[in-house]
Amino acid sequence: MTFFAVFLLAVALSMDAFAVAVVSGCALQKPSPRHYVRLSAAFGFFQFAMPVIGWYLGVSVREYMEAWDHWIAFVLLAWIGGKMTLSGLRALRHRESCACPAVDPTAGSNLLVLSVATSIDALAVGLSLAILGTPIWGEAALIGIICACITAGGVRIGKTLANLCAFNGWAELAGGLTLLAIACNILREHQVF
């Protein structure tokens, strides 16, 4: 594949991560450099690692993965989205307009789940690259780097939106609902409904 083709592929693969990063930056309101680094590094690493894993799996499990990858991504995104939605509703019910979100999307299991959920499609790309006989290491590195940069930009945009509106409880609720919408859209794209 040409550099330009891999670049476009990396941007396309990073769109889920970008959406989650915007939501995270909005929910956190004032993300620290630590938040930027954790989210960008985790999303970038998983966008790098998943194509490599997919490439090594090769064609032997391709049909099985394609049958279930959208369900895995749906469950992971719906789980985090549900947690954020409930946390935002709790904050609104208790009128905690300036409180920090109860769910930090850049920490612990939340970060791991979001990283895996936003990079499942990269696993399928790795499988496809194996079929094409394309070497993986350079392509995967470019995908990971571009995703990390796009993620950092998404957090920044989310922070700007949160600061303009100053609506933490609403931001967390909107973020959770957005993740749920992304999860449902994954199923729609795979013609589940």
Side-chain angles (χ1 to χ4, degrees):
M1 294 181 80
T2 66
F3 175 83
F4 186 67
V6 175
F7 177 82
L8 291 178
L9 177 64
V11 171
L13 287 173
S14 299
M15 288 302 101
D16 285 348
F18 175 74
V20 171
V22 170
V23 167
S24 298
C26 201
L28 290 168
Q29 279 193 332
K30 296 178 182 171
S32 68
R34 178 181 44 146
H35 292 119
Y36 281 94
V37 170
R38 282 196 307 217
L39 204 61
S40 295
F43 283 12
F45 172 77
F46 276 89
Q47 287 285 358
F48 161 77
M50 288 297 205
V52 171
I53 292 168
W55 192 83
Y56 279 107
L57 288 175
V59 294
S60 60
V61 295
R62 180 182 170 95
E63 284 131 21
Y64 178 76
M65 284 301 298
E66 286 179 344
W68 293 99
D69 65 347
H70 55 285
W71 286 107
I72 295 168
F74 170 78
V75 167
L76 295 174
L77 287 171
W79 180 55
I80 294 295
K83 284 175 64 176
M84 287 180 74
T85 300
L86 291 175
S87 177
L89 288 172
R90 223 175 291 121
L92 290 172
R93 186 174 34 240
H94 299 301
R95 306 215 193 293
E96 297 170 357
S97 60
C98 296
C100 291
V103 177
D104 182 357
T106 70
S109 63
N110 293 330
L111 180 60
L112 179 63
V113 168
L114 288 173
S115 298
V116 171
T118 58
S119 63
I120 292 275
D121 51 353
L123 185 70
V125 166
L127 290 168
S128 300
L129 292 176
I131 292 170
L132 295 173
T134 303
I136 193 63
W137 292 103
E139 284 76 357
L142 183 61
I143 290 168
I145 290 167
I146 288 172
C147 180
C149 294
I150 287 175
T151 299
V155 173
R156 177 69 178 148
I157 290 170
K159 174 186 175 185
T160 302
L161 291 174
N163 288 337
L164 288 174
C165 303
F167 62 118
N168 191 345
W170 288 106
E172 196 167 11
L173 176 63
L177 292 174
T178 300
L179 290 180
L180 289 171
I182 292 170
C184 290
N185 188 51
I186 288 171
L187 293 184
R188 187 194 59 78
E189 287 175 350
H190 286 83
Q191 300 174 345
V192 172
F193 56 86

